[in-house]
């Protein structure tokens, strides 16, 4: 397999477009093969959180994030083979929000493949979403790569069915990031059985890419940056040489390596979340996010959203981030350390210190 020579600028038609989209939460993903004729790209948009106010009013800012991502996806050159939407299309799962989001997505030149987010799910347990978009988990093959989509935001039946007086209450509880009542997400037994069966027909040398909404790894339980049965899912993916999990939900840049699996989060079109101070391990070190987070640039509505190119070479992922008012970064798989790393700023001494907030 070869390194791709694709210039990042080639992804967009015209230099003007590059400037216009430098804040977009849109990803393009390229698979590069030995025979360049086999190369392909796909686009990835996530976490739009379309929010209904009343009547025909929706939160303008979240609308704009998705509308821009859709418009720029349509400008991508080479044209992506398909488009993924990574979940949380709606904020509170209502028909009005899902319809409005679907209407914006319908402007894509390509019909998007959808991932379920908790904000889409917990009002009617995915019923209307499924009517609009189809199955909640599925797989497909594309040009030698096996793709899997999981609904990773399911939880215990007790929590889902018995705990709340109304469906609206359940949705509101799940919509809060720092809600102590929130139950951990999981893929669940039924879906894991499906996954095992699906993977049994896939050769171990085939590159596998999993799309989930929550990370299939344990980052921070207090915010549900967490999937409770992550290890069980990882175990099913272990026999494969090259596995990548791409997820939304966390609204921030994250990357990690667990065994054979590379993990990458993509940014949101709606807003960024702050980083938990204690990743992965701590259960209770976090202050609740009941105070608005500091924003680097409060006058810029797309602050700390952004977009990235994802280059999947030989099954590994390079992420090239285009960041507003910030140095562009690349996170690439480092064969020496066996994990994805920032190509320039990974070492402690090379890091850019955090900005002072006032
Ligand atoms: Fe989200
Ligand atoms: Fe989410």
């Amino acid at each position: 397999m070869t390194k791709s020579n694709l210039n990042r600028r080639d992804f967009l038609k015209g230099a003007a477009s590059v400037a216009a989209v430098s804040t977009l939460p849109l990803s393009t993903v390229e698979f590069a093969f030995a025979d360049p004729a086999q190369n392909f790209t796909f686009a990835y948009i996530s976490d739009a959180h379309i929010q209904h106010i009343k009547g025909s009013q929706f939160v303008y800012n979240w609308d704009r994030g998705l509308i821009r991502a859709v418009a720029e996806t349509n400008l991508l050159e080479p044209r992506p083979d398909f488009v993924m939407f990574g979940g949380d299309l709606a904020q509170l799962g209502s028909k009005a929000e899902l319809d409005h989001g679907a209407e914006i997505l319908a402007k894509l030149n390509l019909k998007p493949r959808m991932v379920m987010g908790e904000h889409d799910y917990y009002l009617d347990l995915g019923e209307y979403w499924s009517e609009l978009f189809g199955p909640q988990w599925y797989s497909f093959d594309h040009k030698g790569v096996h793709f899997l989509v999981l609904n990773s935001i399911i939880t215990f039946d007790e929590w889902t069915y018995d705990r709340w007086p109304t469906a609206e209450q359940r949705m509101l509880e799940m919509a809060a990031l720092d809600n102590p009542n929130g139950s951990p997400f999981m893929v669940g037994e039924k879906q894991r059985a499906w996954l095992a069966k699906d993977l049994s027909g896939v050769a171990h040398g085939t590159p596998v890419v999993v799309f989930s909404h929550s990370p299939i790894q344990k980052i921070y339980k207090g915010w549900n940056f967490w999937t409770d049965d992550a290890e069980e899912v990882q175990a099913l993916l272990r026999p494969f040489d090259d596995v990548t999990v791409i997820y939304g939900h966390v609204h921030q840049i994250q990357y990690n390596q667990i065994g054979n699996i590379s993990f990458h989060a993509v940014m949101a079109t709606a807003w960024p979340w702050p980083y938990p101070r204690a990743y992965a391990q701590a259960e209770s070190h976090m202050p609740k996010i009941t105070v608005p987070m500091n924003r680097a640039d409060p006058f810029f509505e797309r602050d700390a959203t952004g977009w990235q190119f994802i280059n999947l070479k030989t099954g590994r992922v390079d992420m090239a981030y285009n960041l507003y008012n910030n140095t562009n970064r690349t996170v690439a798989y480092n064969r020496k350390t066996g994990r994805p790393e920032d190509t320039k700023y990974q070492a402690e001494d090379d890091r850019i210190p955090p900005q002072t907030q006032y």
Side-chain angles (χ1 to χ4, degrees):
M1 293 192 183
T2 59
K3 197 174 154 104
S4 163
N5 292 320
L6 198 60
N7 184 318
R8 281 201 265 148
R9 284 188 201 202
D10 293 344
F11 276 107
L12 291 153
K13 289 175 188 161
S17 305
V18 174
V21 300
S22 62
T23 56
L24 270 183
L26 153 72
S27 311
T28 58
V29 185
E30 189 205 8
F31 265 94
F33 290 91
D35 173 7
Q38 285 181 282
N39 290 5
F40 69 92
T41 66
F42 62 92
Y44 194 108
I45 303 171
S46 198
D47 290 84
H49 290 267
I50 297 301
Q51 191 169 357
H52 192 212
I53 302 168
K54 61 178 181 200
S56 59
Q57 279 182 288
F58 292 85
V59 173
Y60 175 81
N61 205 355
W62 315 151
D63 273 16
R64 292 315 304 167
L66 185 59
I67 288 166
R68 284 180 61 170
V70 165
E72 298 303 338
T73 302
N74 289 338
L75 288 174
L76 290 171
E77 187 70 52
R79 195 180 161 162
D81 282 15
F82 58 89
V83 182
M84 294 301 306
F85 185 82
D88 285 353
L89 178 61
Q91 171 64 8
L92 293 175
S94 68
K95 280 189 180 182
E97 290 175 351
L98 290 167
D99 279 341
H100 189 58
E103 208 178 304
I104 297 172
L105 288 176
K107 299 274 189 325
L108 283 165
N109 292 338
L110 294 158
K111 194 174 164 216
R113 294 176 201 265
M114 303 293 288
V115 181
M116 177 72 85
E118 83 279 17
H119 288 260
D120 306 318
Y121 184 78
Y122 278 99
L123 183 63
D124 67 356
L125 305 178
E127 202 180 306
Y128 191 59
W129 186 99
S130 299
E131 243 176 71
L132 289 176
F133 303 120
Q136 297 174 22
W137 57 86
Y138 52 96
S139 68
F140 59 98
D141 291 290
H142 189 76
K143 296 184 179 170
V145 179
H146 191 63
F147 292 94
L148 294 143
V149 175
L150 298 176
N151 178 352
S152 63
I153 55 82
I154 292 167
T155 195
F156 301 108
D157 284 354
E158 183 277 329
W159 197 99
T160 306
Y161 297 106
D162 307 328
R163 188 160 175 175
W164 311 109
T166 63
E168 287 75 17
Q169 175 77 13
R170 177 179 59 203
M171 181 68 256
L172 282 170
E173 296 286 344
M174 198 45 107
L177 179 70
D178 58 353
N179 176 12
N181 293 325
S183 201
F185 295 145
M186 56 191 77
V187 169
E189 218 175 296
K190 191 170 141 200
Q191 216 177 148
R192 291 202 313 272
W194 168 85
L195 180 62
K197 192 157 173 257
D198 180 278
L199 289 172
S200 68
V202 181
H204 292 176
T206 305
V208 173
V209 175
V210 179
F211 300 114
S212 60
H213 182 67
S214 58
I216 308 293
Q217 57 174 332
K218 293 178 168 174
I219 296 172
Y220 182 65
K221 193 170 185 172
W223 295 359
N224 270 351
F225 287 7
W226 187 274
T227 303
D228 222 38
D229 53 357
E231 289 91 348
E232 284 96 321
V233 178
Q234 289 167 19
L236 294 172
L237 297 166
R238 199 152 294 138
F240 296 88
D241 296 343
D242 292 311
V243 183
T244 304
V245 176
I246 299 176
Y247 57 96
H249 183 61
V250 296
H251 299 207
Q252 62 188 229
I253 296 167
Q254 291 178 354
Y255 50 96
N256 194 17
Q257 184 76 27
I258 299 175
N260 61 327
I261 309 174
S262 294
F263 293 87
H264 288 274
V266 296
M267 287 181 276
T269 66
W271 66 79
W273 285 126
Y275 288 94
R277 283 192 192 151
Y279 258 28
Q281 308 79 18
E283 300 248 342
S284 60
H285 293 176
M286 286 307 304
K288 288 183 183 175
I289 312 181
T290 45
V291 195
M293 67 182 284
N294 283 322
R295 302 291 295 268
D297 183 354
F299 290 93
F300 177 56
E301 66 185 24
R302 300 257 72 78
D303 177 35
T305 59
W307 66 302
Q308 60 268 321
F309 291 105
I310 308 170
N311 192 354
L312 283 153
K313 295 166 191 159
T314 64
R316 300 297 186 189
V317 171
D318 291 351
M319 288 273 200
Y321 293 98
N322 290 253
L323 303 167
Y324 176 75
N325 255 359
N326 210 323
T327 317
N328 289 345
R329 318 282 174 88
T330 300
V331 172
Y333 189 78
N334 181 337
R335 294 204 173 269
K336 270 193 214 144
T337 57
R339 51 159 294 156
E341 288 182 355
D342 192 311
T343 51
K344 228 171 141 191
Y345 302 101
Q346 188 69 38
E348 198 83 47
D349 291 348
D350 298 334
R351 289 189 196 158
I352 300 167
Q355 299 169 52
T356 307
Q357 305 283 349
Y358 297 99

